[in-house]
Amino acid sequence: MCQLASWIDRGHSPAFVVVGGSAGPLYHCSVQVQPEGSVYMSGLHEIKLYPPHRPMDVKLQYLKEESLDVGTIESVSKNSEKFLQVDIDGCSDTSSRVSCLIDENSGHSFHEDRLDNLVNSQIGSKNGLPKGTWFCKVCFKTFSQQANLATHERIHRGERPFCCTICLKTFTQQCNLWKHVRTHTGERPFVCKVCHRAFSQQANLAKHMSIHTGERPYQCHFCPKAFTQRVNQVKHERTHTGERPYSCRFCGKRFTQQSNMEKHERVHTGDKPYDCKTCSRSFTQQSNLTKHMAVHYKNKPFRCQNCAKSYTQKSNLLKHAKKCPCVEVT
DNA sequence: CGTCGTTAGCGCCCCCTGCTGGC
DNA sequence: GCCAGCAGGGGGCGCTAACGACG
Ligand SMILES: [Zn+2]
Ligand SMILES: [Zn+2]
Ligand SMILES: [Zn+2]
Ligand SMILES: [Zn+2]
Ligand SMILES: [Zn+2]
């Protein structure tokens, strides 16, 4: 345990300390350094560097309490932003590193400079950010507009003031509620100019457009294949890495896709949800039913495209078609 | 100006689907 | 025929950034 870790371990808040890593609780030298009460941490997990051009001593401090000298900054990356990455003296934990907001000129972390600004959650220009920048006291995300910070802070407070009158589901933002309500009303304001398919959300229309443009922005890291959606790239890459995150509840067999696991679990449950309407056989997979249907179509080649009824003679199909609006024949 | 409601846009997770091919 | 592998693509939600009307 390094001196920072033991400092936090003694009960000090890790405020003003950010650490690199992915989502989830963050540890430094086995001590959790994630600020208490924070929920949404993605901004925090990005290590952002502020470029000082010389080595400097760094002090981390929790408001007016005891402060901790953590070390000296030796090397700094070039393309950096708001935070300064710090190597802790005598710390062997290289998996997570510590950063703090630094004033380029004084070398002080920002809260030493302007404690009153902290109260307002606003940072002055001396801290290397545009004057009037607002920040969240929980996760240190920064905002140029106070209103956007106010919206953000609802996330930490769990405040969801917008409520769907139909299903009572709640939302942090008005526009998210509006989007949600369209799932009840079926309203689809976004229409594809090419095929006229309509969508309830702009983002889903944008995804759809890749069908027409052929655009595949998500490239596999292991082979030349590319995909229209990131999810599908990740799914595909598992075929290279062998990762199988989903395991069967009954036998433990592992799968790359959740839906494949669910398909497999029906082997154990005996669930056959796909019924043949012609002979009342049922199947565990839709594709097996489709294959099976060929058996019926072989004997009755005249098939109504509308209702899938099939007939041995064309005249019977035509008779049927008088009632059914579809007259296509295979 | 600052405030505040609204809009644009991105990223993510989830789910269902259809084809395929080995046994 | 049963079952697993794999890709396509829509539904829905969370969040940030920015816009614009209005005091
Ligand atoms: Zn926050
Ligand atoms: Zn609802
Ligand atoms: Zn289209
Ligand atoms: Zn690949
Ligand atoms: Zn049948």
Side-chain angles (χ1 to χ4, degrees):
Chain A
M1 197 185 282
C2 72
Q3 55 167 326
L4 171 67
S6 58
W7 186 66
I8 293 168
D9 203 40
R10 287 202 306 274
H12 288 283
S13 162
F16 312 122
V17 179
V18 289
V19 177
S22 54
L26 291 174
Y27 293 87
H28 183 87
C29 285
S30 306
V31 172
Q32 188 169 350
V33 294
Q34 183 176 349
E36 207 169 287
S38 58
V39 176
Y40 182 72
M41 300 280 293
S42 69
L44 178 57
H45 292 189
E46 302 278 332
I47 287 193
K48 295 173 178 171
L49 303 178
Y50 188 82
H53 307 293
R54 62 199 184 317
M56 60 174 71
D57 293 325
V58 175
K59 201 176 269 188
L60 299 174
Q61 192 173 27
Y62 175 57
L63 290 179
K64 288 172 182 170
E65 290 180 18
E66 182 184 346
S67 63
L68 172 75
D69 292 309
V70 287
T72 307
I73 291 126
E74 302 285 359
S75 59
V76 181
S77 118
K78 286 175 222 141
N79 58 342
S80 46
E81 239 180 292
K82 303 164 191 166
F83 292 92
L84 178 65
Q85 193 169 359
V86 182
D87 284 316
I88 306 295
D89 285 345
C91 176
S92 57
D93 183 358
T94 53
S95 65
S96 61
R97 306 180 76 193
V98 175
S99 308
C100 62
L101 277 168
I102 292 288
D103 176 1
E104 181 180 18
N105 299 315
S106 71
H108 292 155
S109 42
F110 72 94
H111 60 281
E112 287 181 58
D113 220 7
R114 295 289 302 276
L115 259 179
D116 53 331
N117 273 345
L118 262 186
V119 177
N120 298 329
S121 305
Q122 197 169 21
I123 304 168
S125 57
K126 283 182 77 181
N127 301 114
L129 291 164
K131 191 170 168 64
T133 296
W134 297 80
F135 75 94
C136 170
K137 279 185 255 182
V138 178
C139 73
F140 296 94
K141 229 177 219 320
T142 56
F143 301 85
S144 60
Q145 295 180 23
Q146 188 183 16
N148 287 341
L149 169 62
T151 301
H152 165 86
E153 283 178 328
R154 287 188 209 129
I155 297 166
H156 298 305
R157 287 201 297 270
E159 196 181 317
R160 302 172 74 87
F162 303 97
C163 181
C164 173
T165 56
I166 298 166
C167 72
L168 303 184
K169 197 172 159 66
T170 57
F171 299 85
T172 57
Q173 291 182 45
Q174 176 75 72
C175 62
N176 289 341
L177 170 60
W178 285 333
K179 266 195 272 193
H180 164 80
V181 166
R182 291 203 289 268
T183 70
H184 294 305
T185 63
E187 191 197 351
R188 291 165 174 262
F190 305 98
V191 180
C192 173
K193 284 186 177 131
V194 181
C195 70
H196 305 111
R197 188 172 174 147
F199 299 84
S200 64
Q201 292 182 32
Q202 168 65 43
N204 292 338
L205 170 59
K207 262 195 307 196
H208 165 84
M209 286 312 289
S210 69
I211 293 175
H212 303 304
T213 63
E215 209 180 349
R216 290 169 173 268
Y218 302 104
Q219 172 77 50
C220 172
H221 290 121
F222 305 99
C223 80
K225 279 197 175 138
F227 300 84
T228 58
Q229 295 185 26
R230 165 149 278 132
V231 174
N232 291 337
Q233 176 211 331
V234 169
K235 238 164 36 174
H236 164 80
E237 284 180 345
R238 293 191 188 123
T239 68
H240 298 296
T241 63
E243 189 201 352
R244 291 166 176 268
Y246 308 100
S247 65
C248 170
R249 277 177 292 171
F250 305 100
C251 72
K253 186 171 160 68
R254 307 189 73 87
F255 297 83
T256 59
Q257 296 184 23
Q258 170 146 358
S259 52
N260 287 341
M261 181 202 69
E262 285 162 1
K263 200 161 65 172
H264 161 83
E265 283 185 341
R266 292 202 286 267
V267 172
H268 300 294
T269 62
D271 188 21
K272 295 184 173 181
Y274 303 100
D275 300 323
C276 173
K277 293 196 173 79
T278 310
C279 74
S280 79
R281 280 194 58 145
S282 53
F283 300 85
T284 57
Q285 294 185 16
Q286 171 65 53
S287 53
N288 292 336
L289 171 59
T290 310
K291 247 191 237 176
H292 160 85
M293 288 312 286
V295 172
H296 299 300
Y297 299 150
K298 197 164 28 174
N299 303 328
K300 301 179 174 181
F302 301 101
R303 174 179 161 219
C304 174
Q305 297 267 305
N306 207 30
C307 63
K309 278 210 172 74
S310 303
Y311 301 89
T312 53
Q313 293 177 24
K314 189 171 185 174
S315 57
N316 289 338
L317 170 61
L318 291 175
K319 211 194 300 176
H320 159 81
K322 287 200 175 128
K323 279 180 276 179
C324 192
C326 173
V327 290
E328 278 182 66
V329 177
T330 53

